[in-house]
Amino acid sequence: MLEQAVKEQLKGVYAELNSTYRLLVSAKGHPAEKELVGMLNEVASTSDKISVVEQEAEGLQFQIERNGEVLPIIIRGIPGGHEFTTLILAILNADGKGKWPDDGIKNRIAALKGPVKLVSYVSTSCVNCPDVVQALNQMALIHDNFHHEMVEGTHFQEEISGRKIQGVPAVFADDTLIHAGKAELSELLDKLEEHYGAGEVQAGEVKEYDVAIIGGGPAGASAAIYTARKGLRTAIIAEKIGGQVNETKGIENLISIPYTEGPHLAESLFKHISEYPIDILEHRRVEGIEDGTRKTLHMKGGETVTTGALVLATGAKWRQLGIPGEKENIGRGVAFCPHCDGPFYKDKPVIVVGGGNSGVEAAIDLAGICSQVTLLEFADELKADGVLIDKARSLNNVTIHTNAAASRVLDNGDKVSGIEFTDRVSNETRTVHADGIFVQIGLSPNSAPFKDLVAMNQMGEIVVDGHCRTDKTGIYAAGDLTTVPYKQIIIAMGEGAKAGLSAFEDFARGKISQLAYT
């Protein structure tokens, strides 16, 4: 049953629907029929534009009909938990409402060579699954020959086993796994273009700015707000506003805010940016940069941006082990999010690699689900906070190995079967058998696109001075991809502000030229 507060909220959400919608249910005789129909009826009760039609068909699924037209989206299973928003947004998006990609991205989607037919497998406990599902649903509504089916795996275990799925989200094109794990719309679009091909996309006009910021996390958002407030024509180019923050569960050290969660903070960043005349070019990836008096940015899909000042703020990503068998088994036992994929390993043995806070926290969380958790740490002692280490050591199903250098991910041809590691004291090679491996070894800077543009250290961090200036005039960097120590949200915000103010100072002193406005 939906809480009354949720119903009231949905009444407001659906108050401005223009079209009429019918939810066409096929669930006759299924044990979960009543649960699915009950959920959909409660959603429908919040708007006189929505109704539920029970069809004489077996299964456990529904489609959305808009003004008599059946849309190319199927939802199989019960869209509860994190996927409840997928149901709500599917109707809103079908009505042309909600946060949509802009015309540049819509043109790329429309250029995909059809027919495109995808099936996505999800878990309602997965925090990353809705982003993938909702992006693909929007693509299905934009493209004229695109069919997307979401499968909530609880009620389709034989199908999950038959496809040998070990992590979610898992996206299949026919029998081919084309994507596993979290992704933004831009990454999914890249993979669909690679798999299906795409026609020519109209490039459009060159966009000109005083300041272009690559990256939409705390550093990029802060830089944009500061430059916009100074009257500089500003754009943010990002795969997703919020960046890595979107993957952060609880945040308790953002001063003046005792507790928030990553997705909520990302939403707040977007709202704050939107208060200013800042162009948000989301779902973009910059493929090339030409340095000069004005910098020219080339994006996938043919779009071009020129700018006087460039701020690099692309943050960091989860670091991989880089050992044989890891990349090949991502989505088939190798995972990076214990909250998303942990439930797949209920009552099974798993391995966590990494003895920092994230690794030890993952081990503690997984110990409540899994039969056995083995924690491997390369150093001679765990690096996590003492309170976390004490908690992990107190759990009788957690085994900790320090001085353990992971060397190979093992599999049986279908999925992960364990890991090999070297004891750095005895030099002995040892094997731990498990069904899943969670890699928690920190972050690496997203600086590869800039390696020939600005100076970096041996770790790939961009070298900046105290004003966030790089070694190139008019190019600045801020946040987790720089040499500034302590990769924290609050520090990234401060560094972004510094980068924005430094750019303004250089404009004011004539070091870089501002656009002439008409």
Side-chain angles (χ1 to χ4, degrees):
M1 296 288 289
L2 295 183
E3 295 179 1
Q4 188 58 39
V6 174
K7 288 185 178 181
E8 292 301 320
Q9 186 177 9
L10 288 180
K11 287 179 182 179
V13 167
Y14 289 142
E16 302 299 325
L17 289 179
N18 296 314
S19 298
T20 299
Y21 296 90
R22 298 200 308 167
L23 307 180
L24 309 178
V25 186
S26 300
K28 211 66 178 177
H30 194 283
E33 175 186 4
K34 185 179 293 186
E35 182 182 356
L36 176 58
V37 173
M39 171 187 282
L40 297 181
N41 273 322
E42 290 204 71
V43 171
S45 72
T46 65
S47 172
D48 58 8
K49 294 289 186 73
I50 306 172
S51 61
V52 177
V53 178
E54 297 182 59
Q55 302 182 120
E56 293 294 325
E58 297 180 351
L60 187 68
Q61 67 180 47
F62 65 94
Q63 282 186 274
I64 302 170
E65 180 190 86
R66 177 186 60 199
N67 294 338
E69 174 195 6
V70 178
L71 300 177
I73 297 169
I74 293 179
I75 295 179
R76 293 168 59 199
I78 312 292
H82 292 293
E83 290 301 340
F84 185 66
T85 57
T86 294
L87 163 59
I88 305 308
L89 284 174
I91 297 172
L92 273 181
N93 287 168
D95 212 58
K97 296 177 173 58
K99 185 182 174 186
W100 278 90
D102 59 37
D103 288 344
I105 299 302
K106 285 181 179 178
N107 290 340
R108 278 184 64 191
I109 294 169
L112 286 168
K113 293 182 178 179
V116 178
K117 189 173 182 180
L118 303 174
V119 181
S120 301
Y121 293 86
V122 306
S123 163
T124 57
S125 65
C126 171
V127 296
N128 293 322
C129 291
D131 286 344
V132 170
V133 172
Q134 291 160 23
L136 295 176
N137 281 349
Q138 284 191 332
M139 291 188 199
L141 293 171
I142 292 167
H143 196 281
D144 60 7
N145 197 0
F146 192 122
H147 182 277
H148 180 231
E149 184 173 319
M150 185 200 90
V151 180
E152 183 269 300
T154 304
H155 300 282
F156 301 94
Q157 287 301 307
E158 287 188 9
E159 198 170 324
I160 295 286
S161 298
R163 294 229 185 193
K164 300 169 183 174
I165 295 170
Q166 293 290 309
V168 288
V171 182
F172 285 81
D174 297 318
D175 292 325
T176 302
L177 177 67
I178 63 169
H179 176 76
K182 75 170 293 292
E184 313 302 345
L185 186 148
S186 58
E187 181 181 351
L188 294 168
L189 184 52
D190 287 348
K191 291 185 175 182
L192 293 179
E193 288 172 335
E194 180 180 349
H195 185 81
Y196 289 100
E200 187 174 349
V201 181
Q202 188 173 355
E205 64 180 12
V206 175
K207 298 181 175 70
E208 296 184 321
Y209 299 97
D210 293 319
V211 182
I213 297 151
I214 305 177
S222 178
I225 288 168
Y226 269 78
T227 56
R229 285 175 61 85
K230 291 293 187 181
L232 299 173
R233 185 175 294 175
T234 300
I236 291 180
I237 303 164
E239 293 189 37
K240 185 169 184 177
I241 298 301
Q244 188 80 8
V245 160
N246 287 284
E247 300 174 40
T248 306
K249 188 178 180 183
I251 301 168
E252 300 176 323
N253 55 0
L254 188 58
I255 307 306
S256 85
I257 302 174
Y259 180 82
T260 188
E261 295 189 350
H264 179 73
L265 178 57
E267 182 181 353
S268 296
L269 290 175
F270 183 85
K271 287 180 179 178
H272 199 171
I273 294 166
S274 301
E275 292 291 317
Y276 296 92
I278 298 168
D279 283 0
I280 301 173
L281 306 179
E282 202 173 12
H283 313 303
R284 266 53 169 211
R285 182 173 296 137
V286 175
E287 291 192 318
I289 300 173
E290 298 175 30
D291 192 14
T293 303
R294 289 187 62 78
K295 292 83 173 79
T296 303
L297 282 55
H298 300 283
M299 290 171 278
K300 184 155 189 180
E303 292 177 283
T304 302
V305 161
T306 71
T307 183
L310 176 62
V311 179
L312 310 176
T314 47
K317 62 186 175 183
W318 293 113
R319 191 183 299 275
Q320 296 185 16
L321 295 166
I323 60 177
E326 178 188 32
K327 184 177 181 180
E328 297 83 348
N329 285 292
I330 292 175
R332 299 195 183 277
V334 173
F336 300 88
C337 179
H339 304 295
C340 303
D341 296 335
F344 281 91
Y345 302 93
K346 181 176 173 60
D347 300 325
K348 296 178 180 180
V350 298
I351 296 162
V352 175
V353 182
N357 281 344
S358 60
V360 176
E361 285 177 349
I364 293 168
D365 289 344
L366 292 167
I369 302 171
C370 305
S371 60
Q372 178 66 36
V373 179
T374 301
L375 177 64
L376 305 182
E377 164 55 38
F378 182 86
D380 57 3
E381 61 182 17
L382 299 180
K383 298 170 288 185
D385 296 340
V387 64
L388 295 175
I389 295 173
D390 292 342
K391 175 63 176 177
R393 292 192 185 280
S394 73
L395 300 172
N396 58 18
N397 64 336
V398 174
T399 301
I400 298 171
H401 295 282
T402 55
N403 285 304
S407 56
R408 179 181 295 274
V409 171
L410 307 175
D411 64 69
N412 60 12
D414 293 327
K415 61 181 183 179
V416 160
S417 60
I419 198 167
E420 278 186 1
F421 72 92
T422 301
D423 185 315
R424 296 174 57 240
V425 175
S426 66
N427 208 33
E428 174 188 3
T429 299
R430 303 174 65 179
T431 299
V432 178
H433 294 287
D435 291 328
I437 299 170
F438 290 85
V439 180
Q440 300 281 289
I441 56 172
L443 302 170
S444 61
N446 293 320
S447 59
F450 319 125
K451 62 183 177 65
D452 297 322
L453 182 68
V454 292
M456 299 182 186
N457 65 12
Q458 61 183 9
M459 296 177 64
E461 296 172 326
I462 295 174
V463 178
V464 294
D465 65 12
H467 295 265
C468 294
R469 295 185 177 97
T470 69
D471 64 324
K472 297 290 180 64
T473 300
I475 302 180
Y476 314 82
D480 288 1
L481 85 165
T482 73
T483 50
V484 169
Y486 311 120
K487 312 306 184 185
Q488 298 290 309
I489 292 171
I490 195 167
I491 291 175
M493 288 179 172
E495 292 296 298
K498 284 167 58 178
L501 291 171
S502 294
F504 173 73
E505 183 178 83
D506 289 346
F507 276 117
R509 293 184 177 184
K511 292 183 178 180
I512 47 180
S513 299
Q514 189 173 352
L515 287 170
Y517 299 134
T518 57

